[in-house]
Amino acid sequence: MNSNDLKEKILQLKKEKNAVIVAHNYQVDDVQEVADVIGDSLALSQYCAENDKDIIVFCGVHFMAESAKILSPDKTVLLPEIDAGCPMADMVTADALRKEKEKHPGAVVVCYINSSAEVKAESDICCTSSNAVKVVKSIKEKDILFVPDQNLGSYVAKMVPEKNIILWNGYCITHHKVSMSEVKEVREIHPDALLLVHPECQKEIAEAADFVGSTKQIIDYAKQSESSKFIIGTEMGVLYQLKKDNPDKTFYLLSKGLICPNMKKTSLKSVYDALNEMKYEINLDEGIRLKAKESLDRMLQIS
Ligand code: 13P
Ligand code: SF4
């Protein structure tokens, strides 16, 4: 089947099965084209908590489909590529977190949504890159154990200096490797472009940027900005929406390494197979799900 046939079949199956296709901003263009909703981690979780379809086909990585299942237990949640994981989410386990909590008994545990259901269940509240500052500001206690992203954690620590943020040593393999020499080089080539970066980039990259935000916040910023040129410091998938929203503006990727191999696993063929063969279904232990839901619900109340 060519891609037009696949798109047609996907739309047909989606209708027949009362399914919805949600896609993260980092998905390949073809997949974003067939999606009903495209967004950042927060927007997609909010959507999954509220929609009325029977099946959610989650085009993203494992923790995102898990979050959809945590929030919508009665729905069938499908992850088209079962091996699409997030290496950063794997950098903290529930066991390791329990041990760290023992060392900081009074600390409130904030976990980035890029984490497993078991880690969410061990945490007090979740956050995403778009609401991490707001979530941390909402906490009364001074000591915060922030897992697993050290870069998002450092960014939050800078924005909320009144808190004592204890960092975990996790990082995103895609954003963490962006270097200052790449920033200098691209800034020299495009001196009149604004630099917009994701907080998963290292501290000095965020400090050198004109704007720091989640994928959706970067997309919204570029749309409302009066500038016409932007250097984009996040995964290349966002270029799809940026170019679609702003045909007269120009976007340069900060580094050619800004590709998440896991986000790129999902193709039109895998979305078709997911709907056709009802795979891969995400299921969770009910005890874990309920505890993880408390952390996500607390976040959603604040957002
Ligand atoms: P957001 O979409 O929330 O900005 O997160 C990006 C991300 O790392 C997803 O893995
Ligand atoms: Fe995980 Fe980074 Fe890929 Fe996001 S971009 S899914 S944090 S590896």
Side-chain angles (χ1 to χ4, degrees):
M1 265 190 277
N2 65 30
S3 68
N4 282 340
D5 291 341
L6 277 170
K7 281 180 193 165
E8 211 172 291
K9 293 260 182 224
I10 289 169
L11 296 182
Q12 201 180 318
L13 279 170
K14 196 175 75 173
K15 215 168 164 189
E16 269 169 39
K17 300 196 173 191
N18 194 30
V20 65
I21 301 176
V22 303
H24 187 265
N25 288 315
Y26 294 162
Q27 291 290 290
V28 296
D29 294 5
D30 268 354
V31 169
Q32 295 199 44
E33 269 171 38
V34 293
D36 299 286
V37 192
I38 308 166
D40 65 359
S41 311
L42 178 63
L44 296 180
S45 348
Q46 283 169 328
Y47 179 81
C48 290
E50 287 159 14
N51 89 94
D52 58 358
K53 299 288 181 187
D54 296 326
I55 301 168
I56 299 172
V57 181
F58 209 115
C59 304
V61 291
H62 196 269
F63 77 81
M64 295 182 171
E66 252 188 9
S67 300
K69 186 69 186 178
I70 294 168
L71 294 166
S72 300
D74 301 333
K75 299 196 174 114
T76 301
V77 177
L78 303 174
L79 179 67
E81 289 291 336
I82 197 62
D83 293 331
C86 169
M88 166 158 54
D90 296 338
M91 291 176 190
V92 55
T93 62
D95 258 356
L97 178 54
R98 274 190 288 272
K99 284 188 189 121
E100 195 63 21
K101 277 165 70 172
E102 279 169 22
K103 293 189 212 156
H104 310 281
V108 173
V109 181
V110 178
C111 82
Y112 191 20
I113 195 163
N114 297 39
S115 54
S116 66
E118 288 79 3
V119 167
K120 289 182 177 78
E122 275 301 323
S123 303
D124 296 299
I125 185 164
C126 277
C127 72
T128 73
S129 54
S130 62
N131 62 18
V133 169
K134 205 171 172 182
V135 164
V136 168
K137 277 188 176 164
S138 77
I139 296 166
K140 282 192 211 78
E141 288 80 353
K142 187 174 167 67
D143 294 339
I144 312 274
L145 176 56
F146 192 97
V147 301
D149 188 9
Q150 58 182 278
N151 294 320
L152 178 61
S154 306
Y155 174 69
V156 173
K158 191 182 162 210
M159 302 303 283
V160 196
E162 63 275 23
K163 299 288 180 196
N164 172 35
I165 306 218
I166 305 148
L167 297 174
W168 197 262
N169 62 2
Y171 57 89
C172 163
I173 53 163
T174 300
H175 290 86
H176 191 75
K177 62 178 185 244
V178 174
S179 67
M180 269 317 277
S181 60
E182 287 174 308
V183 171
K184 282 184 195 126
E185 198 181 312
V186 188
R187 282 269 206 205
E188 261 168 45
I189 304 172
H190 307 291
D192 50 348
L194 292 180
L195 174 62
L196 319 182
V197 310
H198 198 278
E200 287 174 11
C201 290
Q202 292 193 60
K203 200 175 171 189
E204 64 267 31
I205 312 288
E207 280 170 0
D210 298 294
F211 178 74
V212 181
S214 75
T215 53
K216 182 180 182 298
Q217 288 168 337
I218 287 176
I219 290 166
D220 291 347
Y221 184 95
K223 200 172 175 181
Q224 58 74 40
S225 169
E226 281 171 14
S227 293
S228 61
K229 292 180 187 170
F230 304 90
I231 301 162
I232 302 300
T234 191
E235 212 271 354
M236 61 167 297
V238 296
L239 295 173
Y240 169 83
Q241 195 67 40
L242 285 168
K243 288 179 183 167
K244 198 172 161 193
D245 287 351
N246 311 280
D248 301 331
K249 297 184 180 180
T250 313
F251 300 94
Y252 311 99
L253 200 61
L254 170 56
S255 158
K256 55 182 188 310
L258 279 164
I259 303 176
C260 171
N262 284 285
M263 283 285 184
K264 298 305 186 233
K265 285 181 179 163
T266 311
S267 64
L268 274 185
K269 175 76 168 71
S270 38
V271 177
Y272 169 74
D273 288 344
L275 273 166
N276 194 36
E277 297 167 36
M278 295 296 285
K279 65 181 188 186
Y280 293 91
E281 196 176 337
I282 302 296
N283 282 306
L284 294 165
D285 172 90
E286 186 61 5
I288 300 281
R289 187 190 74 77
L290 287 170
K291 281 176 84 183
K293 187 169 183 294
E294 285 176 26
S295 295
L296 276 171
D297 281 346
R298 281 186 203 118
M299 170 189 89
L300 291 173
Q301 273 157 23
I302 289 166
S303 309

